[in-house]
Amino acid sequence: MKAVRLHEYGQHPVVEEVAEPRITSPYDVIVRIGGAGLCRTDLHIMEGHFRAQSGITLPYILGHENAGRVSAVGSAVDIVAVGDTVIVHPQISCGFCRSCRAGNDMHCIQAAFPGMDTDGGMAELLKTSARAVVRLNPTLAPEDVAALADAGITAYHAVKKAIPQLYPGTRAVVIGAGGLGHIGIQCLKALTPAEIIVVDRSPEALALCKSWGAHHTVLADGQQIATVKEMTNGRGAEVILDFVGENSSVTDGIAMLQRAGTYYMIGYGGQLLVPTGLLISTEISFVGNLVGSYNELVELMTLTEQGKVTLHTTFYPLDAASDAIHDLETGKLRGRGILIP
Ligand SMILES: [Zn+2]
Ligand SMILES: [Zn+2]
């Protein structure tokens, strides 16, 4: 089968022929990929950011945002059948450890993460497990929802945590209206009554935000902190959702956060440097967000079926993976890039 494999850090991956995955354990599920999302994490993987952590030897297949049609199942699988359309939770979890039993799939002690530490879904076929597959409502096409498997669930997970802080009359600032941010805006709109303020450097990205549910948009032109302060009675917002997490987004975000407010970090790549005195004197909190649980993916699929969350996507054939990566690297990609085998 054809697959997008990373051979060397610092280089683009290569589209090439590789052996097809096979069922080797009773709970294996093999999915014929309908769409595989391209993610900023893939750029971080290519840069070698996770080299030590993932422990993987190159080459391997990228792709952790996958959806498609079940093509084979192990002998113990009855949650899905061959032919079902599914979206794939990015983590293969064991089901037996305390984290799994608590529903914290992402903190499973025996997990595998296809596309990060094992072969992923930028290919014709992907091997995952029964615990990771969510059967799709027939109204949803795999290629239209693939990026919700990681980008979507991550945005949803952070917004769901912020619900108690976002009661009527509160404000949420969304930093970054890209692939994750545009889903975060829709989740905020669907799950909370908060006033939504979106900050981005791109006027084109901001132009789309109102249709996703944003109440205000702020161009990051150097005046963004002052503008957000003005919109929030000089106090700042109760919640910041930072979908960028690098460059000046973090210092900006902290300056836009109200006393006792909560900062949700979703994007990453930069540094969080906060004077401990500021933390104490203002009682601000910082919360990390790692993907989301299986149940949260099911909930997000419900919002999608209801038309409350839609993905803004650009499709590329699998063969054009390098073009898609180039477009993401150079900021030309709007919404989410999806590779179609
Ligand atoms: Zn991702
Ligand atoms: Zn586990």
Side-chain angles (χ1 to χ4, degrees):
M1 66 169 183
K2 248 186 218 173
V4 180
R5 287 211 301 178
L6 184 67
H7 281 257
E8 220 180 308
Y9 292 114
Q11 305 276 321
H12 274 195
V14 179
V15 181
E16 59 189 348
E17 271 306 311
V18 300
E20 291 188 355
R22 288 185 310 114
I23 298 285
T24 52
S25 104
Y27 287 103
D28 284 349
V29 174
I30 293 178
V31 176
R32 184 161 292 282
I33 295 295
L38 174 66
C39 176
R40 205 153 276 281
T41 288
D42 295 312
L43 302 186
H44 293 313
I45 291 170
M46 287 173 225
E47 288 158 9
H49 193 101
F50 299 103
R51 189 192 302 231
Q53 206 181 323
S54 71
I56 196 159
T57 44
L58 302 183
Y60 84 107
I61 306 169
L62 295 177
H64 57 273
E65 307 193 333
N66 307 305
R69 197 172 282 279
V70 174
S71 96
V73 295
S75 57
V77 176
D78 53 13
I79 188 172
V80 290
V82 171
D84 286 347
T85 52
V86 292
I87 185 163
V88 184
H89 185 280
Q91 183 122 295
I92 297 173
S93 53
C94 77
F96 296 106
C97 72
R98 291 193 64 121
S99 297
C100 281
R101 288 173 193 274
N104 294 327
D105 308 72
M106 288 310 298
H107 299 291
C108 172
I109 57 167
Q110 284 193 64
F113 202 113
M116 289 278 284
D117 55 20
T118 170
D119 280 333
M122 290 185 186
E124 290 173 60
L125 297 165
L126 164 76
K127 181 154 95 170
T128 182
S129 88
R131 262 183 72 81
V133 287
V134 176
R135 193 158 1 124
L136 288 176
N137 182 297
T139 57
L140 301 177
E143 63 274 22
D144 292 335
V145 299
L148 293 175
D150 177 58
I153 193 183
T154 305
Y156 180 85
H157 177 66
V159 169
K160 196 174 170 189
K161 282 197 227 173
I163 289 174
Q165 287 121 28
L166 293 175
Y167 46 85
T170 59
R171 280 73 42 110
V173 170
V174 170
I175 300 178
L180 269 93
H182 86 287
I183 305 165
I185 296 164
Q186 296 175 73
C187 291
L188 278 169
K189 183 78 180 172
L191 301 181
T192 82
E195 205 173 319
I196 305 165
I197 302 168
V198 186
V199 182
D200 198 285
R201 281 188 300 201
S202 156
E204 299 86 61
L206 288 176
L208 295 164
C209 289
K210 294 244 163 110
S211 66
W212 298 322
H215 299 94
H216 310 282
T217 58
V218 177
L219 185 65
D221 57 357
Q223 293 303 307
Q224 61 272 26
I225 297 171
T227 310
V228 170
K229 281 283 181 80
E230 212 172 287
M231 288 174 168
T232 52
N233 309 330
R235 299 194 60 208
E238 284 81 358
V239 164
I240 307 287
L241 292 151
D242 186 348
F243 292 97
V244 179
E246 52 187 354
N247 305 321
S248 57
S249 81
V250 185
T251 41
D252 278 9
I254 294 170
M256 294 168 185
L257 184 62
Q258 189 177 113
R259 291 177 71 92
T262 309
Y263 198 114
Y264 292 87
M265 197 68 76
I266 303 125
Y268 64 94
Q271 295 280 330
L272 176 63
L273 292 168
V274 189
T276 48
L278 181 75
L279 216 65
I280 301 301
S281 62
T282 61
E283 286 201 313
I284 54 175
S285 307
F286 293 86
V287 178
N289 295 280
L290 179 65
V291 193
S293 69
Y294 180 92
N295 283 349
E296 285 170 337
L297 186 56
V298 174
E299 290 158 26
L300 180 59
M301 285 304 109
T302 304
L303 288 183
T304 311
E305 283 163 39
Q306 293 170 344
K308 291 177 182 160
V309 171
T310 50
L311 269 174
H312 183 51
T313 49
T314 307
F315 295 127
Y316 296 84
L318 191 71
D319 285 323
S322 202
D323 297 340
I325 291 163
H326 179 262
D327 288 351
L328 179 62
E329 283 171 334
T330 55
K332 274 198 267 175
L333 192 55
R334 287 280 156 256
R336 214 64 190 171
I338 307 293
L339 302 179
I340 313 268

